[in-house]
Amino acid sequence: MATTTTPKPQRSPEEIEDIILRKIFLVSLTDSMTNDSRIVYLQITAAEILSEGGHLKLSRDLIERVLVDRLSGNFASAEPPFQYLIGIYRRACEEQKKIVNMKDKLVRAQMETVVNQAKKLSVSYCRIHLSNPDMFPDNDRSRSNVSPLLPLVFGEVSSSIDTFGGGSVGVGVGACPGFIDELFRDTDYESVEPILKQLYEDLRGIVLKCSALGNFQQPLRALMYLISFPVGARALVNHPWWIPKGAYLNGRVIEMTSILGPFFHVSALPDQSVFKGQPDVGEQCFSESSTRRPADLLSSFTTIKTVMNNLYDGLAEVLRSLLKNTSTRENVLQYIAEVINKNASRAHIQVDPLSSASSGMFVNLSAVMLRLCEPFLDANSTKKDKIDPKYVFYGSRLEFKELTALHASSEEVTEWLNKNNPSTSSGGESSSYSFICECFFMTARVLNLGLLKAFSDFKHLVQDISRCEDNLATLKTMQEQTPLPRLAQDIARLEKEIESFTQEKLCYEAQILRDGGLLQQALSFYQLMVVWLVGRIGGFKMPLPQSCPMEFACMPEHFVEDAMELLIFASRIPRALDGVKLDDFMNFIIMFMASPEYIRNPYLRAKMVEVLNCWMPRRSDTSSATSTLFEGHQLSVQYLVRNLLKLYVDIEFTGSHTQFYDKFNIRHNIAELLEYLWQVPVHQNAWKQIAKEEEKGVYLNFLNFLINDSIFLLDESLNKILELKELEAEMSNTVEWEQRPAQERQERTRLFHSQENIIRIDMKLAMEDVSMLAFSTEQITAPFLLPEMVERVASMLNYFLLQLVGPQRKSLSLKDPEKYEFRPKELLKQIVNIYVHLARGDHENIFPSAITKDGRSYNDQLFTEAANVLRRIGEDPRIIQAFDDLGRKAKAAASEAMDAEAILGDIPDEFLDPIQYTLMKDPVILPSSRIIVDRPVIQRHLLSDATDPFNRSHLTPDMLIPDTELKQKIEEFVKSQQRKQHGEEMSMQSSSFKSSIHSPDGTGPLID
């Protein structure tokens, strides 16, 4: 018999609504038994509803009342308010998925409305609870100071690559898609501001002690997510810690206490131990690096570069998002300006780590600012026209007044500003400048305090490592000779220092040197900088306007210095300049390196030569790319040699107390460049033309300083060789040496190594200078043979010859002369070549006479000895023959000079030059002191010092006054002495003739 099933009774919409709401809110109005401990029986609420004549069913009309009662009650097993409200939202989402399957469209629509209302109530009361935590009882609240919302935010931005050292931050509440969006979207600011304030503080706290290997990526994405909401962006820039306030506010305080500061602090670069992030990058990636496999180091470099670029991109996106919003843009610019102004002391050589932000923060900020500049970095774009130079003078946001200007003094700047804008006392409004303008100047300041400062720190770190390694080698040598406990302690200490420094060096290498993208962006920025600066004076064209426009003269000097430092640094990193167009930089350098009227600082102009030195084809990795800069570049062909020679002269007087020693390093760079350019035909022709045009101008000054340097450097290094040999003798006497106190031995050993370094450097520079004289005199001799120069050149050559082949040459013998760059055979060949070159160009035969006038070093035997040495070392016989011929001419000239001196006899004092006590040939009166001197002598003095030697007043060759009357007297005196001598000779000859003609018997003259 067939059975019939009773159809399932159809539930009413009210019943369905009750069931769904009970599932979502986990509450009951009837005391039914249930296994779910989370479900709360609202007995009082049920009684109130019954007294009001209502039904004990949950409905959309009752639900807010029920929710408030549930949150306000103190139920033993109930979930805490926050978890409960999140649970409501999650369960509502689950019910929403089920409702989709309902067949009755009307019921489905009603239930969707109910569920949406439940979600809205959950979000709304969550805002209320988080803004006023004390409103509802919460037994769980004391467990954490972190916002319970944080894990949900992390859930929204979760990624599989959040951390290198651990899992995600925050536990307890799983992801709840859509909740955060509803919480912050389309809501009033006041209701969520306290919530966001807490979240930003929590994110800041998480990254505060993070290094590049810590979990900063998840908090960074959370920050980016929160500011995507208009209320989130507004809450961030209105946070009291956006720009911290206080009497003790400084750069480090902003870094560690502002909301964004700790994000910018995340870095691989070294920092003070109290501020250092964890894990320690140096320890984890680069400890005992010398024993690590190259592949391991490369992996560490790649990891650090990748995570740091993630940080740069994230922070750039944060700032970009806030800058696009007109209501938050001003706050961002204020923040960056405050960071820059409060860290101005980072430009100092010594930086106080307690009052200045870390290098890590500023390198990160440099990378971020360069990303913000990307849209206008094309130097050919018209966008650069929006960069207004008045920002430097009248903008109130950044502090430029304390910065050194390219040429103008601070007084000149003030005077010019008052003259051009007398009505403005407080400066223009920041809002009057475009974002491109503000971003450009802020980036220039940030790079100066950040990336460029990091280059400097890295250079000093490398020097520290080198110094420690030298000291360690010295100590180990001493320990081998005489083992002592104290030496062992010093060795251990130095080894520890070297390990620490090496870790720091590799951290710099990982974050900066190996980040080609960062360097390329910086190069693009400074290309724009030089193009923009040149635009202040009318563009790339020579010659420069006679007077420097004040707009250019008043620009901060570091704009140019940073560009040069970056070029030097990048040029020393393999492939860093690949694809970089260097023409604009080349034009800029050629235009300004010899223009003190535009760039006052000689050291800055010398830095430009250092850049060119790095680009020389023979030492550059990209020789084909850089050779065109020198050999096919229009301004280079026209002006490079001329400006190098001019700078060689200008650098004699830098105004610094170390100018005497500074000039040698600078001239070393110039000399290397000149030696290369001499081998390029177009430049050699330009050089010869300059020597002809400037025979008595800049070229003569150049030769004078070249000779001065050669004499000083060779003299200094030869004297140091004698001192070094004395030290060697001391140390080789082992018995006596080991009896000396350890400290004395240590000091003497250090002195020995110091002397070695000095000899090596001085000798290298001396060889360079002599080499330049040798190759240039082959083609250019006229300036060397001028009256004011010829005796000076001859004296120098004689002095060198005396040192190399004279009696004391054996005392200069060294065990390993190459170690000290001392190549006496090569030096002798070059000296002899200079003699021969000048003799060939001496058409008036004045050079042999000049050689013999040198009473200090000249000796005819030196020429003979030098020729013998040349034959032994295999010099070209033609050169030896020419040198022998010159020696004979000099010997003959010496004999003639002695005869001439005998003829003149006692010379009246008024005819003698007061400086050299020699007979004047062309007397001139000095206009200030009224002293009379010989023209060649004073002109030789003026080549090195443009002052009257008797009273130090300014003096130039064109100011000399010829003393024609005295000159005539001297000429008459010489003639009279010659006539007198001639008369005496005739008289002697006559008497000799008479005495020979006598009578055959000898008793009387034949003719009376």
Side-chain angles (χ1 to χ4, degrees):
M1 180 178 172
T3 59
T4 58
T5 57
T6 307
K8 200 173 182 181
Q10 194 74 22
R11 291 193 177 109
S12 67
E14 289 79 11
E15 289 174 320
I16 296 171
E17 187 175 344
D18 175 55
I19 292 167
I20 289 173
L21 289 174
R22 277 192 282 120
K23 284 182 180 177
I24 292 173
F25 286 90
L26 296 178
V27 293
S28 173
L29 296 177
T30 57
D31 190 11
S32 58
M33 299 298 290
T34 176
N35 292 327
D36 193 339
S37 62
R38 296 175 301 164
I39 296 176
V40 172
Y41 169 43
L42 298 176
Q43 186 177 1
I44 297 173
T45 309
E48 287 175 354
I49 291 169
L50 286 173
S51 68
E52 293 164 6
H55 300 288
L56 295 181
K57 280 189 174 63
L58 296 178
S59 67
R60 72 192 78 176
D61 298 329
L62 279 175
I63 197 61
E64 185 168 3
R65 175 181 178 180
V66 167
L67 177 59
V68 171
D69 289 348
R70 161 65 182 80
L71 289 170
S72 303
N74 203 345
F75 306 102
S77 60
E79 285 182 300
F82 180 76
Q83 282 84 346
Y84 173 64
L85 290 165
I86 295 299
I88 290 173
Y89 190 92
R90 188 181 297 109
R91 290 187 292 273
C93 291
E94 289 167 2
E95 291 302 317
Q96 206 165 24
K97 292 174 188 174
K98 297 175 186 175
I99 290 168
V100 175
N101 299 321
M102 286 184 176
K103 292 176 183 176
D104 189 323
K105 290 182 179 179
L106 185 62
V107 174
R108 187 168 70 216
Q110 288 176 348
M111 294 310 113
E112 281 178 347
T113 305
V114 169
V115 170
N116 283 333
Q117 186 180 344
K119 287 167 72 175
K120 283 182 180 176
L121 283 170
S122 162
V123 170
S124 178
Y125 276 86
C126 198
R127 284 195 204 108
I128 294 168
H129 168 64
L130 291 171
S131 300
N132 305 280
D134 298 327
M135 180 172 282
F136 304 119
D138 184 359
N139 298 324
D140 194 47
R141 198 177 69 219
S142 59
R143 292 183 189 174
S144 174
N145 292 323
V146 176
S147 169
L149 200 59
L150 193 60
L152 268 74
V153 176
F154 286 150
E156 291 286 339
V157 297
S158 61
S159 166
S160 59
I161 56 162
D162 277 327
T163 64
F164 288 88
S168 298
V169 176
V171 291
V173 180
C176 191
F179 178 81
I180 299 294
D181 194 71
E182 281 200 46
L183 186 69
F184 295 128
R185 188 83 61 197
D186 302 327
T187 182
D188 62 298
Y189 173 71
E190 284 71 21
S191 66
V192 293
E193 189 269 339
I195 303 170
L196 287 160
K197 179 176 180 287
Q198 179 65 47
L199 282 170
Y200 290 135
E201 290 172 18
D202 294 341
L203 293 174
R204 171 197 161 277
I206 291 167
V207 296
L208 186 59
K209 294 294 282 184
C210 268
S211 73
L213 301 182
N215 174 24
F216 68 84
Q217 302 206 45
Q218 194 181 44
L220 178 58
R221 277 198 300 276
L223 179 68
M224 293 163 65
Y225 175 65
L226 291 175
I227 64 166
S228 67
F229 302 103
V231 290
R234 184 179 170 190
L236 177 61
V237 299
N238 287 328
H239 195 292
W241 296 352
W242 172 250
I243 301 177
K245 301 289 187 289
Y248 299 103
L249 184 66
N250 59 37
R252 182 65 82 164
V253 170
I254 291 179
E255 178 181 24
M256 305 313 289
T257 61
S258 68
I259 297 297
L260 290 186
F263 285 93
F264 279 105
H265 178 254
V266 173
S267 174
L269 300 184
D271 196 5
Q272 285 285 299
S273 54
V274 68
F275 303 117
K276 188 180 283 188
Q278 295 300 323
D280 187 315
V281 177
E283 280 286 339
Q284 192 153 319
C285 296
F286 304 120
S287 60
E288 298 178 352
S289 57
S290 58
T291 61
R292 293 199 178 200
R293 292 185 309 138
D296 291 342
L297 289 176
L298 191 60
S299 173
S300 295
F301 288 141
T302 306
T303 298
I304 290 167
K305 177 185 165 185
T306 303
V307 296
M308 290 314 300
N309 273 277
N310 288 342
L311 176 70
Y312 303 154
D313 292 338
L315 287 172
E317 191 52 47
V318 168
L319 294 190
R320 203 177 284 120
S321 175
L322 294 170
L323 287 163
K324 284 178 182 175
N325 185 337
T326 52
S327 64
T328 55
R329 177 183 297 166
E330 182 66 14
N331 302 84
V332 176
L333 295 174
Q334 284 175 356
Y335 175 75
I336 298 170
E338 190 73 359
V339 170
I340 292 168
N341 292 333
K342 286 289 186 284
N343 284 285
S345 61
R346 276 189 54 80
H348 300 165
I349 296 172
Q350 295 292 331
V351 178
D352 177 11
L354 299 179
S355 63
S356 297
S358 65
S359 290
M361 176 180 191
F362 263 85
V363 169
N364 296 346
L365 188 55
S366 298
V368 170
M369 293 302 294
L370 287 169
R371 280 161 168 76
L372 296 181
C373 289
E374 271 178 358
F376 61 87
L377 278 187
D378 182 359
N380 299 316
S381 167
T382 56
K383 289 182 180 179
K384 70 175 179 293
D385 297 337
K386 294 185 178 180
I387 302 169
D388 188 347
K390 291 186 178 66
Y391 186 88
V392 173
F393 313 126
Y394 307 118
S396 57
R397 207 186 300 279
L398 294 180
E399 297 166 2
F400 287 102
K401 289 179 182 175
E402 299 301 315
L403 302 177
T404 305
L406 280 171
H407 190 271
S409 65
S410 56
E411 294 80 10
E412 288 169 334
V413 174
T414 306
E415 183 185 344
W416 181 70
L417 293 180
N418 292 337
K419 182 180 175 184
N420 284 272
N421 199 9
S423 61
T424 303
S425 56
S426 59
E429 288 296 318
S430 301
S431 58
S432 63
Y433 300 102
S434 69
F435 171 71
I436 287 177
C437 179
E438 295 232 41
C439 189
F440 176 79
F441 287 110
M442 284 185 170
T443 303
R445 292 292 293 126
V446 167
L447 287 169
N448 174 251
L449 303 174
L451 189 62
L452 274 299
K453 179 62 176 171
F455 292 162
S456 172
D457 292 342
F458 178 78
K459 188 165 67 176
H460 290 137
L461 192 56
V462 171
Q463 290 169 352
D464 287 340
I465 292 172
S466 177
R467 174 182 51 78
C468 285
E469 286 175 342
D470 288 346
N471 289 343
L472 183 64
T474 303
L475 290 176
K476 283 185 173 179
T477 304
M478 293 175 65
Q479 181 74 340
E480 287 169 9
Q481 293 171 352
T482 316
L484 290 170
R486 184 183 162 190
L487 283 175
Q489 289 171 3
D490 288 345
I491 288 169
R493 176 183 54 77
L494 271 175
E495 286 174 338
K496 192 175 177 182
E497 264 186 50
I498 291 170
E499 168 66 17
S500 175
F501 285 154
T502 303
Q503 287 180 21
E504 291 183 8
K505 172 178 171 281
L506 292 170
C507 286
Y508 274 99
E509 189 174 335
Q511 185 168 338
I512 301 174
L513 276 72
R514 289 181 177 264
D515 192 344
L518 176 61
L519 295 173
Q520 293 261 338
Q521 283 179 316
L523 286 162
S524 295
F525 177 82
Y526 282 108
Q527 184 182 4
L528 173 63
M529 173 66 80
V530 299
V531 170
W532 180 80
L533 280 172
V534 167
R536 303 309 98 214
I537 62 166
F540 289 110
K541 53 189 177 185
M542 292 280 279
L544 294 171
Q546 282 192 343
S547 62
C548 176
M550 283 300 283
E551 236 182 36
F552 181 92
C554 297
M555 282 296 144
E557 184 182 86
H558 80 74
F559 286 3
V560 175
E561 184 169 14
D562 293 346
M564 296 306 116
E565 286 286 5
L566 175 65
L567 288 169
I568 292 166
F569 200 82
S571 298
R572 290 169 179 164
I573 300 171
R575 311 196 68 79
L577 293 179
D578 283 7
V580 179
K581 198 166 181 293
L582 299 173
D583 296 67
D584 290 333
F585 292 118
M586 187 72 171
N587 284 328
F588 187 89
I589 288 169
I590 292 170
M591 285 173 70
F592 295 107
M593 70 179 185
S595 303
E597 308 82 10
Y598 280 77
I599 296 178
R600 188 190 298 273
N601 184 349
Y603 294 103
L604 176 51
R605 289 182 283 116
K607 211 164 282 253
M608 296 178 184
V609 176
E610 201 174 337
V611 173
L612 298 182
N613 206 265
C614 293
W615 291 351
M616 271 200 303
R618 65 181 181 187
R619 66 163 55 178
S620 171
D621 292 332
T622 54
S623 58
S624 58
T626 55
S627 62
T628 57
L629 290 175
F630 292 98
E631 297 170 27
H633 193 279
Q634 185 183 354
L635 281 184
S636 173
V637 171
Q638 282 182 275
Y639 292 98
L640 185 52
V641 172
R642 180 183 300 274
N643 287 352
L644 285 170
L645 294 173
K646 188 173 183 302
L647 184 58
Y648 194 100
V649 172
D650 291 346
I651 215 69
E652 181 74 15
F653 307 106
T654 64
S656 166
H657 66 284
T658 58
Q659 67 179 18
F660 181 77
Y661 299 100
D662 296 338
K663 67 182 179 184
F664 294 117
N665 289 327
I666 296 165
R667 285 176 175 166
H668 161 67
N669 288 328
I670 296 174
E672 286 198 326
L673 269 168
L674 288 172
E675 186 175 353
Y676 156 67
L677 293 172
W678 183 262
Q679 296 158 26
V680 180
V682 288
H683 287 295
Q684 188 181 119
N685 291 335
W687 189 327
K688 288 191 276 190
Q689 187 62 30
I690 292 160
K692 189 175 180 182
E693 292 171 2
E694 296 283 346
E695 188 178 273
K696 291 211 170 190
V698 71
Y699 199 75
L700 197 61
N701 284 303
F702 160 70
L703 292 182
N704 177 61
F705 290 129
L706 182 60
I707 290 166
N708 284 353
D709 289 358
S710 302
I711 294 169
F712 171 80
L713 290 166
L714 191 69
D715 201 34
E716 186 79 355
S717 43
L718 295 179
N719 286 332
K720 285 279 186 279
I721 287 174
L722 297 175
E723 292 175 22
L724 190 75
K725 293 190 75 172
E726 285 180 17
L727 283 168
E728 265 184 341
E730 281 181 31
M731 294 163 75
S732 61
N733 186 345
T734 51
V735 177
E736 188 183 324
W737 177 252
E738 287 176 10
Q739 288 175 351
R740 296 188 180 191
Q743 187 167 350
E744 185 187 340
R745 277 182 287 141
Q746 193 172 338
E747 286 171 2
R748 299 294 280 173
T749 305
R750 280 191 185 133
L751 177 62
F752 179 80
H753 291 309
S754 169
Q755 299 285 56
E756 281 190 317
N757 288 332
I758 292 170
I759 293 168
R760 192 179 302 114
I761 293 166
D762 285 356
M763 193 60 78
K764 180 179 171 63
L765 295 176
M767 292 290 289
E768 227 166 46
D769 289 347
V770 173
S771 172
M772 188 155 32
L773 287 167
F775 67 68
S776 64
T777 51
E778 192 171 5
Q779 301 283 335
I780 302 166
T781 56
F784 291 90
L785 299 170
L786 290 169
E788 57 266 40
M789 183 55 70
V790 65
E791 290 181 20
R792 181 126 179 73
V793 177
S795 296
M796 176 197 74
L797 295 172
N798 291 345
Y799 174 68
F800 285 174
L801 203 63
L802 175 65
Q803 300 300 323
L804 293 170
V805 299
Q808 66 165 18
R809 68 176 185 270
K810 289 184 180 177
S811 63
L812 297 173
S813 60
L814 290 166
K815 292 176 185 174
D816 184 9
E818 283 289 328
K819 177 182 175 183
Y820 305 102
E821 303 277 345
F822 184 38
R823 295 181 282 276
K825 293 176 184 177
E826 183 185 327
L827 186 59
L828 178 61
K829 284 183 179 182
Q830 288 180 332
I831 294 297
V832 168
N833 271 281
I834 298 168
Y835 271 118
V836 171
H837 293 158
L838 294 179
R840 283 176 185 162
D842 180 21
H843 305 302
E844 297 180 15
N845 205 33
I846 59 171
F847 189 44
S849 173
I851 291 172
T852 62
K853 284 183 181 175
D854 171 26
R856 185 180 67 158
S857 305
Y858 171 71
N859 183 329
D860 60 333
Q861 291 300 314
L862 292 176
F863 280 75
T864 306
E865 187 58 40
N868 292 336
V869 173
L870 290 172
R871 289 185 186 93
R872 288 200 297 273
I873 62 177
E875 178 58 294
D876 185 337
R878 290 170 297 179
I879 295 290
I880 299 172
Q881 182 59 50
F883 184 64
D884 272 336
D885 291 345
L886 177 63
R888 282 190 287 275
K889 286 181 182 178
K891 188 174 182 180
S895 176
E896 287 173 14
M898 287 179 68
D899 293 344
E901 191 176 337
I903 290 169
L904 293 175
D906 290 333
I907 303 169
D909 288 347
E910 64 173 316
F911 297 165
L912 292 174
D913 173 77
I915 297 174
Q916 291 203 339
Y917 292 97
T918 53
L919 179 68
M920 291 188 282
K921 293 181 180 177
D922 186 3
V924 290
I925 303 167
L926 305 184
S928 173
S929 63
R930 308 304 295 177
I931 304 289
I932 300 169
V933 293
D934 200 12
R935 186 187 295 273
V937 173
I938 191 63
Q939 283 186 328
R940 198 177 308 140
H941 163 81
L942 293 176
L943 289 173
S944 302
D945 186 356
T947 62
D948 183 325
F950 299 96
N951 63 9
R952 311 304 297 162
S953 61
H954 179 66
L955 182 63
T956 55
D958 57 299
M959 295 166 67
L960 303 174
I961 305 164
D963 192 337
T964 50
E965 186 181 339
L966 182 60
K967 184 177 181 181
Q968 194 174 348
K969 284 184 182 178
I970 293 170
E971 288 171 352
E972 286 174 2
F973 167 74
V974 171
K975 286 175 183 175
S976 71
Q977 293 297 96
Q978 288 172 341
R979 282 197 301 270
K980 184 179 176 183
Q981 177 67 21
H982 182 67
E984 288 176 358
E985 287 176 358
M986 290 297 292
S987 173
M988 287 175 64
Q989 287 176 8
S990 172
S991 76
S992 173
F993 177 73
K994 286 180 180 180
S995 61
S996 64
I997 304 175
H998 278 75
S999 60
D1001 60 0
T1003 57
L1006 187 67
I1007 301 171
D1008 190 356

